Every structure is written in structure tokens, then in C-alpha cells.
Amino acid sequence: MPVMEADKTDPIRAEELKSQANEAFKAHKYAQAIDLYTQAIELNGQNAVYWANRAFAHTKLEEYGSAIQDASKAIEIDPKYSKGYYRRGAAFLAMGKLKEALKDFQQLKKICPNDPDAAKKLKECEKAVMKLKFEEAISVPESERRSVADSIDFHLIDVEPQYTGAKIEGDVVTLDFVKKMIDDFKNQKSLHKRYAFQIVLQVREIMRALPSLVDINIPEGRHLTVCGDVHGQFYDLLNIFELNGLPSDENPYLFNGDFVDRGSFSVEVILTLFAFKCMSPSAMHLSRGNHESKSMNKIYGFEGEVRSKLNETFVELFAEVFCSLPLAYVLNEKVFVAHGGLFSVDGVKLSDIRAIDRFCEPPEEGLMCEILWSDPQPNPGRGPSKRGVGLAFGADVTKRFLQENNLDLIVRSHEVKDEGYEIEHDGKLITVFSAPNYCDQMGNKGAFIRFEAPDMKPNIVTFSAVPHPDVKPMAYANNFLRMFQ
């Protein structure tokens, strides 16, 4: 007798899995929640709730592309399911796609005309879109734009006699100054704008002179430490220096992008990193992350924080300096370091990266976009990005890139990892993330990697979060986005 194939649908078991997924979600175990929602969907794919819940879990992991796909599926199954529009609108918003978000919140209001929350979100979204249109209308074309740096002379800014904070004597940023500044920041005091301008302008000059891909030579017996995303977590940054020593010519660091946004001490983080760069350019190397961009800073808090702690001129100035940050580094001709990952085409050479004209806001496609946004995937080949920007690339892509460029290893950041790091692609790719208990809720460790010459084997150190003053992450973020936190 032929064996009847078992019925793949099992609504009761699917509901059990959904309940387990909800519990994992509440415990901030978002990857586990996604896995359980996926199992529920496999048993009952016509339940819009499962898709919308999985979309929410993807949002928590910043996988906005996947969130949009799942929410769209929920809407397809049930066009009147309000949460589908809510989740998709929130994901569009997180990607900075305000006009798409607006359409979803308009639809949400139609479905729930008497829901005050839906009305409030629609109103905020309309305000955000109006603001965006106004900014677009008054913006000067890139070609006609004058550098804001050229209009600033920090020497003309007086320092009031009652100012007791850190001071730069003359033009030289010293270790004593940096230590005093860090100490002031620890006690939630601010740096005088004169010295903040001096630091940022000096870093701009240093960075503009560098190529888009920088080669670093670590002499035999010496080392260099690579850190991943710090995301405005100033007190965790200080803990890295506590554990691994302050930056110096003998103890150099490379911070691999995403210094700012989300954490609410981003101004302190960026001024500290920049001050070390001024003190000794070879003690501090900085590469650009996807959050060193105007569109991200507008949404995720850095722009609001700069306005609050410094002023409007600094918003423009930081945007300019971020456009001068290198995109990648190569350590001792062996280790490739970049924030995001690899490319949608094979055959990209280091010389191609070196030739990128990086002095601009990141485009939405091409090599510069991909190096800032891409992520590794377990499957071979290439796939769509969970984030909706860049792409996902497999171990074979990593292997070919390394072989073609005569390299041994890729180090990248860009993704939260439970242990602060993850080794993938047959040991040829390491993700390092240096913001422990990310956004005060993920419970992850942070990590950094120490490379010692000549063998350049990665020595990974993990660490836990330290306490910080009671200022919540995203405290300065776009009002509209904060409504979804």
C-alpha cells in the first residue's frame, strides 16, 4: 500500500510554538524567537499573526528587510490586519524610508479610525515627512556646497574664566588633556566648544589625507587591537581602555565603525576617539560604519545629541568628517578590516577599494554601500540582505576574495553577537562587536581582538557591560522612532 504523506499543517502545535516564541521574545532572545515563529509558520503559514510577530523580532535584530517581507506577507494573508501595517511602517521608518512608512500609517488609521495610538503615529509620521520635504527643498546641490569647516575659526572662540574643564594649550592635544577630558565626561561635564571644534577640525585634516583603504604595518613583537561597534556606549569604551590600556603608539587601536547612534553618550565617544587620533595619529585608526552617515544620525540619536550638547554647526561638521573616514584597513598584508562586508560581484581587488571616492554620503548600491552594510550568511553564494541594504555573502565568496587579494582573514563588525564575536566561514571571517548589553537590553558580551606581529593570529577578549548614568539609549533619537522603542 502506498504510504500517505503526513499532513504538514498542525494548527495546535503551531500555537504552542508561537507561545514559546513569545516567551523567547520577552526574554530578548530574538534569534530564538525567529526560529520558533518560523517553525510555527511551517505548520500553519496562513496565520498572519505569526508573520507579524516574526517581523517584530527581525526589527529587534535590525533586520529591517526581513521585517518588511514578513509584515507584507501578514498583510497579504489578511489585508485588514492592523499589526501588519504597523510592523511594516515601523521597519520602513527604521530604514529612513519615511514616505513608505507614511503610506502604512495612513492605512493603519483607516483600519483603526478610533485608535489614539494609530492617530498619534500617523500625525508624527506626517510631520517627519513634511520636515524631510522642506529639507530637500532648501538643500544646496552637492557640487555647490561649501565646506562648513572652512567657515570655522576656533581661535576666535573665547573660553570663559569660569570654565574649569579640560583645556588644549596651543595646537597640541596631549595625553594629559585627553585624560582630563575623559574624567570630565565620566562626571557628565562637557568640553568647551572651542576645544571640541579644534579636535574635530584637526581630525578632518588627518583623515582627508588618507586613502579609502589604509595599509597598517605592525612591526615584529608589536600588536594592534581591533574593536567593533561602540554605539555611543561611552562607559563601556572606557572599560575597554581599562582592560587593554589607553591608546598609544605602543598600544594602537582600530575602531571599526559605528562609534555613534543608539547609545546616548555618542558625543563623548566620538570626541574621545578623535582626541586620541589628534594626540597620536598612529595610536588610533578609525574606519567608517553605516552609522557614520546623515540619514542614520538623523534617526538614531547622534544628530539630536550633538544639537543638545554642542550646536547646529557641529551637526554639519561631523557629517563632513564622517565622509572623510577610510572604508577599510589591511593589517600586515594579511588581515582585511571593514565595517560591513563583501561585494555583489567577484573580482574586487584592494586597488578597487582604494580607488573609491568616499567623500560623500553612502550611496544605496555599489562597493561603498556594500562594504558598510553587507553581512555574512551560512549558505554559499550571495543572497538578499536581511537589512534591506547591501547583501548577504557566503563562505565561498569570502574564500575567493581572500585568495584573489592574497589575504588570510576578514574582520568585520556591524552585528550584535551574544559572545561579542563570532567566527564563521571556515575560520576565515570574524565578526567583532564591542557594545556589551547593546541598547541596555540585549544581554550580549562585548569583545575586541588583539593581533600580534608577525603571526597575526587573532586573540579575542570578551567583556561584560559596566554601569552608566541613568540616560536611556535613544534618548536623543527622532521622536517618531522613540515611539516604537
Side-chain angles (χ1 to χ4, degrees), residues 132-201:
L132 183 70
K133 282 182 177 164
F134 175 70
E135 284 170 358
E136 284 172 356
I138 62 166
S139 70
V140 180
E142 201 73 47
S143 55
E144 295 169 29
R145 215 167 273 171
R146 283 190 59 236
S147 162
V148 69
D150 296 341
S151 66
I152 302 163
D153 185 350
F154 67 85
H155 298 98
L156 301 177
I157 302 171
D158 290 329
V159 179
E160 303 76 12
Q162 62 268 34
Y163 174 73
T164 57
K167 294 178 180 175
I168 301 171
E169 305 297 340
D171 289 333
V172 181
V173 174
T174 63
L175 180 59
D176 284 344
F177 162 79
V178 182
K179 283 180 173 172
K180 166 76 172 133
M181 181 186 77
I182 287 174
D183 223 42
D184 289 346
F185 285 162
K186 255 200 305 209
N187 297 310
Q188 290 185 277
K189 294 179 185 166
S190 46
L191 179 67
H192 197 282
K193 289 182 185 62
R194 176 197 164 109
Y195 305 122
F197 273 128
Q198 189 170 345
I199 288 166
V200 181
L201 289 166

Side-chain angles (χ1 to χ4, degrees), residues 40-104:
I41 286 165
E42 282 164 2
L43 294 173
N44 183 9
Q46 288 305 301
N47 188 321
V49 176
Y50 302 168
W51 292 94
N53 284 10
R54 192 171 75 173
F56 196 17
H58 278 304
T59 299
K60 289 292 188 181
L61 290 180
E62 301 175 24
E63 296 169 352
Y64 303 122
S66 297
I68 288 164
Q69 282 180 330
D70 279 358
S72 298
K73 183 68 181 173
I75 292 163
E76 183 191 309
I77 292 166
D78 181 358
K80 295 227 170 335
Y81 182 49
S82 60
K83 272 203 177 143
Y85 296 100
Y86 188 94
R87 299 283 175 243
R88 191 170 70 182
F92 276 134
L93 168 67
M95 291 178 73
K97 297 190 170 183
L98 293 178
K99 289 166 190 171
E100 289 89 337
L102 179 61
K103 286 178 192 163
D104 280 331

Side-chain angles (χ1 to χ4, degrees), residues 118-137:
K120 191 177 169 193
K121 291 208 165 51
L122 175 60
K123 194 175 172 192
E124 282 295 331
C125 195
E126 285 169 341
K127 274 184 359 199
V129 170
M130 286 294 288
K131 188 171 177 236
L132 183 70
K133 282 182 177 164
F134 175 70
E135 284 170 358
E136 284 172 356

Side-chain angles (χ1 to χ4, degrees), residues 237-403:
L237 172 67
L238 296 192
N239 188 38
I240 292 172
F241 295 151
E242 194 72 33
L243 296 169
N244 194 57
L246 287 173
S248 68
D249 290 344
E250 289 71 42
N251 188 36
Y253 284 81
L254 164 49
F255 279 83
N256 192 26
D258 284 13
F259 323 120
V260 301
D261 279 340
R262 295 198 178 269
S264 295
F265 303 95
S266 292
V267 165
E268 289 81 355
V269 166
I270 200 71
L271 287 175
T272 299
L273 296 177
F274 280 7
F276 276 118
K277 185 72 184 170
C278 295
M279 179 195 87
S280 167
S282 61
M284 178 62 70
H285 304 281
L286 302 165
S287 56
R288 191 174 193 173
N290 63 306
H291 276 266
E292 277 69 57
S293 74
K294 271 187 194 173
S295 59
M296 292 288 112
N297 297 162
K298 213 177 268 304
I299 301 170
Y300 290 99
F302 184 58
E303 189 178 294
E305 188 182 336
V306 171
R307 275 203 188 95
S308 170
K309 294 179 181 177
L310 294 162
N311 61 30
E312 188 66 43
T313 310
F314 275 98
V315 172
E316 288 300 308
L317 185 58
F318 277 118
E320 240 177 63
V321 178
F322 289 166
C323 289
S324 67
L325 291 169
L327 303 175
Y329 287 77
V330 173
L331 316 180
N332 284 18
E333 300 180 2
K334 288 183 177 179
V335 181
F336 178 77
V337 185
H339 179 73
L342 295 181
F343 310 102
S344 53
V345 291
D346 282 335
V348 175
K349 294 285 196 284
L350 296 180
S351 55
D352 298 320
I353 300 168
R354 208 171 272 117
I356 295 171
D357 179 5
R358 70 183 189 278
F359 294 97
C360 60
E361 288 301 313
E364 294 201 3
E365 57 186 23
L367 297 186
M368 181 169 167
C369 167
E370 290 162 1
I371 207 169
L372 298 177
W373 279 96
S374 293
D375 295 297
Q377 65 178 20
N379 308 334
R382 294 176 171 90
S385 165
K386 291 176 180 175
R387 299 173 190 270
V389 190
L391 67 139
F393 59 96
D396 54 331
V397 177
T398 294
K399 188 179 173 186
R400 276 197 301 276
F401 176 80
L402 292 172
Q403 280 174 346

